[in-house]
Amino acid sequence: MTSVYIDEDVGRDDSTATGSESAPYKTLLHALLQQSPSDGTQYLTRKSQTEPTGEGADPASKLEWKPATKSAMKKATNLYEQRKRKAAKEQELAIREKQEAEKRQAVLEDAKKIVIKEDPSLPKPVKIRLDVTDPAIVTLGKPESDTPGTRVRVLGRVHRLRAQKDVVFLTLTDGYGYLQCILTGDLAKTYDIMTLTPQTSMAIHGEIRAVPPKQHAPNDRELHADFFTVIGRAAGDKDAITTRVAPDADPQTLYDNRHLVLRGETVSSVMKVRATTLKAFRKAFEENRLLEVTPPAMVQTQVEGGSTLFKFDYYGEDSYLTQSSQLYLETCLPSLGDVFCVCPSFRAEKSLTRRHLSEYTHIEAELDFISFTDLLDHIEEVICRVIDVMMAEPEIAGYVQKLNPDFKAPSRPFLRMKYSDAIQWLREHDIPNEEGKPHEFGDDIAEAAERKMTDIINQPIFLTHFPAEIKAFYMKKDPEDRRVTESVDVLMPGVGEIVGGSMRMDDWDELMAAYKHEGMDPSPYYWYTDQRK
């Protein structure tokens, strides 16, 4: 009879144990896995150090080997059988995977023998962008008929890929649009297609046809290929774009791989909407006869407070990245009329909120000879005109609806609410300040409270006449209430503040007093102060 020894205290379930009395296993399951049950095999167990030794117990019993109990054997045997079945399945799967790999390798070897050539009898293809739909350039062939269309050459990267028996569907993108391409016959059996990876660059020749009824594809058309070439093969496996920026990747991974995330439909759509927004602002400003200028980004003055300045050495002098270009824009008014700029601004704020960025594109405008009411009217007109221009472009309107299905253009006129009225509204609706106390006149209304108020009122708000103590030094005070400034924040439901603006001090003495009040040296601002002379 063969004896297998298990000591639950000093035994080991590793390669040093043999199941002998001098080198016992630690668990019964491990013993079964190493030496499977058979006739004549007995499993002896003990606890050599922790066996109870109560009153009357024989101390020598701790050293005795006893047959494993029936319950212990039953439990261990069940686990043993489960492990055996799992191991068998894994082995079977491994064999099947090996066979499939060998089969695929054989298919790939055969695919290497397939060489495709362009048919010289076909018309020379016309090179087009993937979004071209002009019938004068591209004539669609009818689906499932012999009616020919224009033969075209398209270039792009593989955005999607789907293989069926003898047919490969792939969607190309070139930044301008998407086009579904269909490869059949030898084209679908080549080594290049059978090993195709997303983002591979390709040139495909063929005929564009309308999509058959009840089928769908971008722009309801598809290219039936007759020839292709691979321009640049994209990485696969762990370096594939689908692995690097998987849909469930954490935000930090996506930020670190922004160059790849930009290739996705969502972020590229955002960038296109952003570009159209900038174009619409320029159009709206130009319609109002504002001239675009480009102020410097490297300055020696602050605009929005010294705590958020990016400081650097400029040939031995202290300089900063601009927080805002508005003061420079003022210098252009006398000779250029109303002006605007689309430039970067910088804020050295350690913040992760969506309203504060170290660098952002800042759209700013300065108007000459206006009243505060004129300013509000102008802002409202520009905002609404920008949205109208954007939504007039079907492609961009489609992106906006897809990115933000609940989007609705703001209704006019915007609500006009003074800061003092907002403080009272917040008190009446039990919305506390950042310290958890009721709002008081002089509080800088925090973003959370401001957004909550805006969302409840649910319409665009001109929040005006902020206290001078919480606004920039150059803002003009209201002649009827010297405590407050002729200033405005535009608040949009679901977003919060989107625009800030104000009238400017025009009195030299008042501006000099403002410098002194803020503890600012006026000498670097000589060019700004000169405007008041």
Side-chain angles (χ1 to χ4, degrees):
M1 178 178 290
T2 303
S3 296
V4 180
Y5 296 88
I6 301 100
D7 189 319
E8 296 179 18
D9 288 329
V10 299
R12 301 177 68 88
D13 285 347
D14 57 25
S15 58
T16 62
T18 62
S20 65
E21 188 172 3
S22 59
Y25 298 123
K26 185 175 183 63
T27 63
L28 183 54
L29 174 60
H30 188 75
L32 292 173
L33 291 170
Q34 299 303 310
Q35 299 184 36
S36 57
S38 61
D39 291 340
T41 301
Q42 66 171 349
Y43 296 89
L44 302 177
T45 67
R46 73 177 182 185
K47 294 182 179 179
S48 60
Q49 296 180 355
T50 60
E51 192 76 39
T53 56
E55 185 177 349
D58 183 1
S61 66
K62 292 200 300 180
L63 303 178
E64 292 181 4
W65 297 97
K66 299 176 182 178
T69 64
K70 289 183 178 181
S71 61
M73 282 297 298
K74 183 178 180 180
K75 182 179 179 181
T77 301
N78 287 338
L79 292 172
Y80 167 72
E81 294 297 335
Q82 289 178 19
R83 293 280 186 94
K84 277 182 63 178
R85 288 193 294 271
K86 183 179 178 182
K89 284 184 179 180
E90 289 176 348
Q91 184 178 14
E92 181 183 348
L93 179 61
I95 293 172
R96 189 161 62 245
E97 288 178 345
K98 182 181 180 182
Q99 290 173 342
E100 290 175 356
E102 291 173 348
K103 183 179 178 181
R104 175 168 173 76
Q105 189 58 41
V107 171
L108 291 177
E109 290 301 320
D110 289 340
K112 290 179 181 179
K113 300 173 185 177
I114 299 176
V115 179
I116 59 171
K117 294 182 180 180
E118 188 169 14
D119 186 346
S121 67
L122 293 174
K124 183 177 180 181
V126 178
K127 180 181 176 183
I128 65 166
R129 298 283 193 188
L130 299 184
D131 64 334
V132 173
T133 57
D134 187 347
I137 300 174
V138 177
T139 304
L140 291 182
K142 295 181 179 179
E144 300 177 358
S145 77
D146 295 329
T147 305
T150 305
R151 187 167 184 257
V152 299
R153 170 181 169 86
V154 296
L155 298 101
R157 293 173 177 84
V158 177
H159 185 64
R160 293 193 189 92
L161 178 65
R162 176 166 55 93
Q164 295 180 350
K165 186 177 181 180
D166 299 326
V167 182
V168 172
F169 296 86
L170 61 87
T171 300
L172 285 189
T173 179
D174 63 353
Y176 296 91
Y178 298 89
L179 179 63
Q180 177 171 285
C181 304
I182 300 176
L183 284 69
T184 59
D186 282 350
L187 294 181
K189 299 175 183 177
T190 61
Y191 181 83
D192 283 334
I193 294 300
M194 296 192 72
T195 58
L196 200 59
T197 50
Q199 293 299 314
T200 290
S201 304
M202 300 183 68
I204 303 180
H205 299 181
E207 173 192 335
I208 294 182
R209 297 181 185 176
V211 174
K214 298 183 179 180
Q215 302 296 316
H216 300 282
N219 294 319
D220 293 322
R221 59 190 188 145
E222 56 193 15
L223 184 141
H224 291 251
D226 58 56
F227 180 71
F228 75 85
T229 55
V230 171
I231 298 171
R233 183 180 296 278
D237 298 326
K238 66 179 181 179
D239 286 326
I241 188 170
T242 49
T243 303
R244 297 275 299 278
V245 289
D248 58 350
D250 65 88
Q252 191 58 53
T253 297
L254 298 179
Y255 295 148
D256 290 342
N257 289 279
R258 192 71 168 173
H259 60 295
L260 299 179
V261 174
L262 280 168
R263 299 190 180 207
E265 290 183 44
T266 299
V267 177
S268 62
S269 297
V270 171
M271 297 300 288
K272 290 176 181 178
V273 171
R274 186 179 191 275
T276 303
T277 304
L278 293 175
K279 184 172 67 173
F281 265 107
R282 287 187 165 97
K283 181 178 179 65
F285 283 137
E286 288 166 3
E287 288 174 350
N288 284 278
R289 297 193 65 188
L290 274 74
L291 183 72
E292 183 171 7
V293 295
T294 52
M298 297 185 294
V299 300
Q300 290 187 295
T301 53
Q302 70 181 43
V303 179
E304 299 294 336
S307 64
T308 63
L309 286 168
F310 276 110
K311 185 177 180 180
F312 66 95
D313 178 82
Y314 185 75
Y315 301 110
E317 295 187 38
D318 288 343
S319 296
Y320 314 96
L321 297 178
T322 184
Q323 298 168 314
S324 168
S325 298
Q326 56 193 293
L327 303 188
Y328 282 95
L329 290 179
E330 279 192 48
T331 66
C332 301
L333 295 177
S335 60
L336 301 179
D338 297 342
V339 293
F340 77 97
C341 73
V342 181
C343 294
S345 285
F346 305 86
R347 304 284 168 89
E349 294 179 326
K350 290 186 177 181
S351 173
L352 292 177
T353 69
R354 64 182 181 173
R355 286 174 29 140
H356 296 108
L357 300 173
S358 293
E359 177 185 1
Y360 63 97
T361 301
H362 204 168
I363 299 172
E364 302 183 270
E366 293 294 323
L367 307 181
D368 205 7
F369 298 115
I370 62 167
S371 67
F372 186 54
T373 299
D374 293 334
L375 173 62
L376 302 187
D377 291 343
H378 168 80
I379 294 173
E380 183 173 314
E381 171 62 29
V382 168
I383 291 173
C384 293
R385 179 58 179 152
V386 165
I387 293 173
D388 288 344
V389 170
M390 290 176 59
M391 300 305 286
E393 295 193 23
E395 180 185 14
I396 299 303
Y399 289 144
V400 171
Q401 292 300 329
K402 187 174 181 180
L403 293 165
N404 185 4
D406 297 328
F407 174 78
K408 292 181 181 179
S411 59
R412 302 177 68 175
F414 293 179
L415 175 67
R416 303 191 179 193
M417 174 188 283
K418 288 188 176 183
Y419 165 89
S420 56
D421 295 329
I423 292 295
Q424 184 62 32
W425 190 97
L426 292 168
R427 291 176 66 91
E428 291 173 354
H429 289 78
D430 296 322
I431 299 175
N433 61 20
E434 288 187 299
E435 297 176 353
K437 300 178 181 178
H439 278 87
E440 299 286 349
F441 187 92
D443 286 349
D444 191 355
I445 302 174
E447 178 190 7
E450 191 175 74
R451 284 196 61 193
K452 192 168 184 179
M453 178 182 72
T454 307
D455 290 346
I456 292 174
I457 294 174
N458 197 32
Q459 68 179 106
I461 301 172
F462 279 126
L463 190 57
T464 67
H465 297 88
F466 289 87
E469 295 300 321
I470 62 174
K471 282 299 180 180
F473 70 92
Y474 49 76
M475 293 187 179
K476 188 173 183 177
K477 293 180 179 178
D478 183 356
E480 297 180 4
D481 185 352
R482 301 289 293 175
R483 300 176 307 157
V484 300
T485 55
E486 292 187 320
S487 55
V488 59
D489 284 351
V490 181
L491 311 179
M492 201 63 68
V495 182
E497 180 188 347
I498 61 171
V499 179
S502 75
M503 301 298 282
R504 302 287 189 261
M505 289 181 181
D506 50 37
D507 182 80
W508 189 90
D509 290 329
E510 186 177 14
L511 182 58
M512 295 303 292
Y515 289 135
K516 184 176 181 180
H517 181 269
E518 295 294 326
M520 297 167 58
D521 178 7
S523 57
Y525 295 86
Y526 71 92
W527 52 270
Y528 183 69
T529 311
D530 269 354
Q531 308 301 311
R532 276 68 194 161
K533 295 182 181 179

